[in-house]
Amino acid sequence: MMTFTGDFAKRIWVPDIFFPADKDSFIYDVTEKNQMVQLHGDGSILYGMRFTTRESCQMDLRNFPLDSQNCSVEIESYGYTVRDVVMYWKDSAISGVEALKLPQFRISGYDTTDRIEKLATGVYQRLTLSLKFERHFGFFFFQMYLPSILVVMLSWVSFWISNDATAARVALGITTVLTMTTINNSVRSSLPRISYIKAIDVYLVICFLFVFAALIEYATVNHIYWERKKIKKNRKCRSKATKALLQKPKSKFKINQLKCIIFQRKHPLQASDQKKSKKNLNRVEDSGKCSIEIDEVSRGRKESSPIVKSNVNLISKQKIRLIRSASFSGPIRTDRVRSANSISTKPSFRTIRFIQSFRNRTSGISPIVQDVSSIDNYSRIIFPCSFLFFNAIYWSVYANKI
């Protein structure tokens, strides 16, 4: 056996092989071109070279990062057809594949095949080396899955925070939502832009929905809490107003936290009556509270007592002027009060039912929920159980596809 350098290869015939899936390749030439020619006694020639090639591989990322990929290296003669060159794999042609270590993949197996390719210039023989890659899951678990799980669990902390701590719960909810958004963007930036949904997309989107649902849960609790507080405040105010009207007709009385002035009239005011009514309202002093004065005027005369219904809600159906005012110490300006239209003081049964149904609809779900803290109590159980159920389904589906 005789061995020659790479320059000797220029004096003999060598096959014109190329790699159909090649994207970039080069031959090492330090200090000389890494080529050799071995001439055996039986007339066979062994020709070898050292080079690096970067091949393209069509990957299916639907199960990313729980996926496995099949990539192949193809070798073919560029100009010689099957009539000129016959290529085949030897038994010991591939060696050292098991010892290869890649940062993101593990080579679980390989296979060699050959096939005939019919092209426009002739029929060629192509050798194929198929490699099966399995992606390492540890990196993606600690960089994507574990932070997402912890962020979702962090959003559940708001269920144990008091309803009055609005700043704390809102800040926690917004922080977790922004964190999940950042994780989503980092994953998308490291992957090619593909149209189908990946396994990591499903997990991150569900985690984002859990975090967003926790924020919406507090918005619901906060809305119900203040609605119920407002309803209790209005009921207390109305009960005081009713009691004062029944005990002292046509008199001024003060009610805490009621910021309105109510005027009830049976008929349109005449010019003389409007002047008299304005005189009665010219000076109404208020010291952080509110005054209510009901002044009933008929045509040409005043009645000494107003008509009071058992249900105070009926007052809102009549032509009532509400003047919202903050705490003030000066007189109320009567130029803000417009004249009322004539309306009957006895609403019908349908009107009463309509008002009651409208108030029930606008109050939302607050009449159903007796205690707003019960929503947080249910959320402490529903959210973790739902997340565990989702994880059980997710890992059972995608883990079997590895």
Side-chain angles (χ1 to χ4, degrees):
M1 181 183 68
M2 298 180 63
T3 303
F4 301 94
T5 60
D7 295 335
F8 183 76
K10 298 179 181 179
R11 303 177 183 179
I12 62 175
W13 176 89
V14 292
D16 57 343
I17 60 174
F18 79 104
F19 298 88
D22 177 55
K23 297 183 68 176
D24 185 19
S25 60
F26 61 92
I27 298 175
Y28 294 90
D29 56 357
V30 179
T31 58
E32 294 289 337
K33 287 187 177 181
N34 299 163
Q35 294 176 332
M36 75 168 186
V37 177
Q38 288 183 353
L39 180 60
H40 294 269
D42 57 356
S44 61
I45 298 176
L46 177 62
Y47 173 68
M49 68 175 63
R50 180 171 175 256
F51 66 95
T52 297
T53 179
R54 187 161 58 98
E55 302 285 320
S56 62
C57 179
Q58 297 295 330
M59 293 186 177
D60 187 2
L61 300 176
R62 287 183 173 85
N63 298 329
F64 176 85
L66 303 170
D67 58 336
S68 59
Q69 305 293 336
N70 291 320
C71 296
S72 60
V73 179
E74 297 178 337
I75 303 174
E76 183 181 339
S77 175
Y78 187 78
Y80 297 105
T81 63
V82 292
R83 294 181 300 177
D84 302 323
V85 174
V86 176
M87 296 187 298
Y88 60 93
W89 291 103
K90 282 188 175 182
D91 296 336
S92 59
I94 307 299
S95 61
V97 177
E98 295 81 1
L100 290 177
K101 293 183 179 180
L102 301 176
Q104 291 191 23
F105 295 94
R106 180 179 65 88
I107 300 177
S108 59
Y110 66 93
D111 187 21
T112 57
T113 59
D114 62 274
R115 67 179 187 271
I116 300 299
E117 291 289 336
K118 294 182 179 180
L119 304 177
T121 57
V123 179
Y124 301 88
Q125 191 171 19
R126 180 175 296 183
L127 303 181
T128 303
L129 170 63
S130 298
L131 300 172
K132 184 177 182 181
F133 297 94
E134 291 183 357
R135 196 184 300 273
H136 293 305
F137 179 68
F139 171 80
F140 299 97
F141 178 78
F142 288 104
Q143 295 294 324
M144 299 179 185
Y145 284 92
L146 186 59
S148 301
I149 295 173
L150 295 179
V151 170
V152 172
M153 296 176 65
L154 181 63
S155 66
W156 300 341
V157 177
S158 62
F159 302 150
W160 279 267
I161 301 178
S162 175
N163 300 327
D164 298 334
T166 304
R169 295 190 67 166
V170 170
L172 180 60
I174 294 177
T175 302
T176 52
V177 169
L178 293 178
T179 304
M180 286 304 306
T181 304
T182 304
I183 295 175
N184 282 328
N185 293 335
S186 64
V187 172
R188 293 173 183 174
S189 61
S190 61
L191 292 176
R193 297 179 180 179
I194 52 181
S195 58
Y196 51 82
I197 299 176
K198 303 177 291 295
I200 188 65
D201 294 337
V202 175
Y203 197 87
L204 293 180
V205 167
I206 296 299
C207 290
F208 181 84
L209 292 178
F210 270 98
V211 171
F212 187 74
L215 182 61
I216 295 299
E217 185 271 347
Y218 174 65
T220 305
V221 169
N222 186 65
H223 173 73
I224 296 175
Y225 174 77
W226 289 106
E227 281 294 325
R228 292 182 64 83
K229 196 170 182 180
K230 183 179 179 181
I231 291 174
K232 291 180 181 179
K233 177 181 175 181
N234 292 339
R235 287 178 180 175
K236 184 177 179 180
C237 184
R238 290 170 188 152
S239 62
K240 289 184 179 181
T242 306
K243 184 177 179 181
L245 287 174
L246 293 174
Q247 292 178 356
K248 297 180 180 181
K250 199 177 184 304
S251 62
K252 295 181 180 179
F253 52 93
K254 293 185 177 181
I255 301 174
N256 293 331
Q257 304 300 328
L258 181 62
K259 298 179 180 180
C260 62
I261 300 178
I262 303 178
F263 302 96
Q264 178 185 7
R265 294 183 175 90
K266 290 183 178 180
H267 304 287
L269 294 179
Q270 298 179 0
S272 57
D273 293 333
Q274 290 181 3
K275 293 180 180 179
K276 294 178 181 180
S277 178
K278 289 183 179 179
K279 289 180 181 180
N280 296 333
L281 300 175
N282 272 337
R283 305 291 296 178
V284 179
E285 298 295 331
D286 182 69
S287 58
K289 300 180 181 179
C290 181
S291 300
I292 293 181
E293 181 175 354
I294 297 180
D295 186 10
E296 295 192 353
V297 182
S298 59
R299 294 185 180 273
R301 63 184 183 85
K302 288 186 178 180
E303 294 183 3
S304 59
S305 62
I307 298 177
V308 180
K309 297 293 182 182
S310 59
N311 189 0
V312 185
N313 294 335
L314 301 180
I315 300 176
S316 62
K317 186 61 181 176
Q318 302 172 6
K319 222 34 172 179
I320 299 175
R321 299 305 304 163
L322 299 179
I323 302 178
R324 299 186 179 275
S325 59
S327 299
F328 59 90
S329 58
I332 298 178
R333 295 179 59 88
T334 58
D335 55 354
R336 297 182 182 178
V337 182
R338 292 178 291 182
S339 60
N341 298 328
S342 60
I343 189 170
S344 175
T345 59
K346 295 182 179 181
S348 62
F349 178 75
R350 292 183 177 179
T351 304
I352 298 174
R353 291 294 299 273
F354 174 77
I355 295 174
Q356 292 178 350
S357 62
F358 178 76
R359 293 182 64 85
N360 291 335
R361 287 195 299 269
T362 55
S363 60
I365 61 173
S366 56
I368 302 175
V369 181
Q370 299 299 330
D371 187 8
V372 291
S373 61
S374 62
I375 300 179
D376 287 336
N377 295 334
Y378 287 127
S379 299
R380 296 170 189 173
I381 301 174
I382 294 175
F383 275 75
C385 292
S386 301
F387 192 66
L388 289 175
F389 179 72
F390 160 71
N391 278 273
I393 295 178
Y394 178 86
W395 295 113
S396 62
V397 170
Y398 285 99
N400 295 331
K401 295 182 180 181
I402 300 178

